Amino acid sequence: MAVQVQLRRGTTTQNNAFTGAVGEVTVDTDADSLRIHDGSTAGGFEVNAKQAKYADIAERYHADSAYQPGTVVVFGGENEITASSTLADSKVLGVVSTDPYIVMNSPHRTPDLTNELHPAIALLGRTPTLVTGTCNKGDLMVTSSVPGHAQAWTDLQAPPYGSVIGKAVQTKTSPESGLIEIVISGF
């Protein structure tokens, strides 16, 4: 069966305002990406590309509070997640993402996930993270007793099972709180 395909193209703003027919494909000329439409969602859904301009894979969770990007979160609190506050907590989930490549539990499937109490939590990949203390590239990162922060694991013994968030991508020389990139490697 021969099918003729015609693509619409436009800027990100134009794409965001357009609601295409079910299965319609549009080209976002600003983001150099394709979008697939479902007939009801303005802007459609960006198709995964060979190269991402973002670096983490995230999922939405119901948080106890609105957290700033980079906050380390754990399972617990009144809802699903809360800011970490215990050293090397094995309940660690991930980090509030700044701009994820993929977001599971996306708002188009569950509209109430769009508010700040349902942040995208980076579960895998590179993401800016709040860190307290110093660290070197490649250090294992665990939760800190400073709420919402990670820190380098400096003990010669292995960290508690399930408490490693990932590894530092950058060296941090200041003992104060700061934002550095870490790579979340899963648990």
Side-chain angles (χ1 to χ4, degrees):
M1 170 192 318
V3 177
Q4 181 179 0
V5 177
Q6 180 179 354
L7 296 176
R8 296 177 192 244
R9 52 187 282 126
T11 65
T12 298
T13 301
Q14 291 169 327
N15 268 277
N16 288 344
F18 178 71
T19 301
V22 174
E24 185 172 0
V25 177
T26 59
V27 177
D28 184 325
T29 56
D30 290 337
D32 290 329
S33 65
L34 298 177
R35 295 185 186 205
I36 304 287
H37 296 270
D38 65 359
S40 63
T41 305
F45 307 98
E46 191 169 1
V47 176
N48 298 345
K50 290 181 183 175
Q51 292 183 340
K53 61 181 172 177
Y54 311 116
D56 67 79
I57 296 173
E59 185 171 9
R60 293 189 184 277
Y61 286 86
H62 189 183
D64 283 349
S65 184
Y67 298 119
Q68 72 179 23
T71 301
V72 178
V73 295
V74 297
F75 287 109
E78 291 183 28
N79 294 310
E80 292 178 312
I81 61 170
T82 193
S84 63
S85 61
T86 303
L87 177 63
D89 192 339
S90 63
K91 294 184 219 166
V92 66
L93 174 62
V95 177
V96 177
S97 181
T98 54
D99 210 355
Y101 171 55
I102 296 173
V103 180
M104 298 180 280
N105 293 347
S106 63
H108 77 278
R109 299 214 186 270
T110 312
D112 67 327
L113 295 182
T114 58
N115 70 44
E116 60 191 16
L117 293 179
H118 291 89
I121 306 301
L123 305 175
L124 186 66
R126 261 173 104 129
T127 191
T129 303
L130 289 169
V131 173
T132 188
T134 62
C135 67
N136 294 307
K137 289 180 193 177
D139 280 354
L140 293 177
M141 303 302 287
V142 298
T143 58
S144 165
S145 58
V146 176
H149 285 65
Q151 73 176 54
W153 181 259
T154 57
D155 196 320
L156 295 177
Q157 302 243 336
Y161 182 77
S163 67
V164 174
I165 303 166
K167 291 186 178 184
V169 175
Q170 298 172 289
T171 295
K172 182 174 172 291
T173 58
S174 168
E176 287 83 32
S177 173
L179 204 60
I180 67 163
E181 281 199 340
I182 70 166
V183 62
I184 298 175
S185 55
F187 321 118

